């Protein structure tokens, strides 16, 4: 009986340790998902800032950008987004009196290409197929859009784009 008890105890401890390892991995996965979500939210906000600058003709002051956003954003958050965009090489900053003026250093098309590639790489391991599958599974892609995408890909293969 003692031998059976010891064996059962060892099995239970092994299972417990396995569960603890799986729990740790789940926490790591959850943390990564939360970080990815925060990255996406930052990218959306950075895009909103860039759109505000382009809307002003490619150059805008901090107050103009804040007003163009159409949503409340703290001065600190706006400053963070502007600084990150400056560090990424998308904006330049100069002083005009007491106000910072930001100038877009890239076109909207170039910005979208750069950021799309980053999102595709980070969330879908660079797989356009996985991205399209996520859109389809999420109900964000209609049958008409699939046909349009297929037609576009066929044009690309023919070299007409």
């Amino acid at each position: 009986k003692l031998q059976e008890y010891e064996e059962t105890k060892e099995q239970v401890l092994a299972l417990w340790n396995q569960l603890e390892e799986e729990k740790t991995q789940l926490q790591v996965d959850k943390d990564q998902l939360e970080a990815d979500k925060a990255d996406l939210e930052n990218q959306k906000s950075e895009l909103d800032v860039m759109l505000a600058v382009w809307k002003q003709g490619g150059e805008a002051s901090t107050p103009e950008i804040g007003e163009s956003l159409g949503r409340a954003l703290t001065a600190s958050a706006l400053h963070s987004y502007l600084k990150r965009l400056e560090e990424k090489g998308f904006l330049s900053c100069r002083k005009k009196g007491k106000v910072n003026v930001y100038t877009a250093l890239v076109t909207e098309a170039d910005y979208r290409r750069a950021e799309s590639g980053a999102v595709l790489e980070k969330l879908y391991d660079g797989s356009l197929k996985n991205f399209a599958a996520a859109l389809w599974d999420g109900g964000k892609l209609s049958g008409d859009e699939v046909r349009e995408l297929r037609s576009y890909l066929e044009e690309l293969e023919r070299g007409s784009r």
Side-chain angles (χ1 to χ4, degrees):
K1 285 282 189 193
L2 185 59
Q3 178 70 22
E4 279 181 36
Y5 171 78
E6 288 297 324
E7 287 173 2
T8 303
K9 179 180 165 186
E10 284 180 32
Q11 290 172 346
V12 168
L13 285 174
L15 284 172
W16 181 261
N17 289 335
Q18 183 180 354
L19 285 172
E20 284 296 317
E21 287 174 19
E22 289 176 11
K23 178 182 166 189
T24 300
Q25 185 57 49
L26 285 173
Q27 184 61 47
V28 167
D29 292 346
K30 180 183 174 198
D31 292 346
Q32 184 60 51
L33 283 172
E34 288 174 2
D36 288 347
K37 181 181 176 188
D39 283 349
L40 284 175
E41 289 171 5
N42 285 337
Q43 284 180 324
K44 181 192 177 307
S45 293
E46 289 174 8
L47 172 60
D48 290 343
V49 168
M50 291 300 296
L51 289 171
V53 172
W54 289 314
K55 183 178 173 184
Q56 297 290 326
E59 185 173 277
S61 67
T62 305
E64 289 171 332
I65 295 167
E67 289 170 17
S68 291
L69 289 176
R71 62 183 166 100
L73 196 61
T74 65
S76 170
L78 179 57
H79 176 74
S80 293
Y81 296 133
L82 290 165
K83 196 74 183 152
R84 263 199 307 272
L85 288 164
E86 200 177 348
E87 289 167 0
K88 290 179 178 181
F90 295 131
L91 290 176
S92 67
C93 178
R94 65 180 169 78
K95 271 284 200 209
K96 186 176 182 182
K98 295 182 179 183
V99 179
N100 284 339
V101 176
Y102 293 87
T103 303
L105 299 176
V106 296
T107 65
E108 188 172 348
D110 287 342
Y111 178 83
R112 287 181 186 270
R113 258 191 300 282
E115 290 301 288
S116 307
V119 169
L120 187 66
E121 188 60 42
K122 185 164 188 74
L123 295 180
Y124 301 98
D125 295 322
S127 169
L128 190 53
K129 178 185 170 195
N130 290 345
F131 176 66
L135 289 174
W136 179 258
D137 292 343
K140 301 284 186 192
L141 201 56
S142 70
D144 286 342
E145 289 170 317
V146 169
R147 285 185 286 284
E148 184 180 340
L149 183 56
R150 184 178 295 121
S151 173
Y152 177 71
L153 292 173
E154 288 168 358
E155 285 178 36
L156 287 176
E157 284 181 335
R158 289 191 302 268
S160 59
R161 279 217 175 198

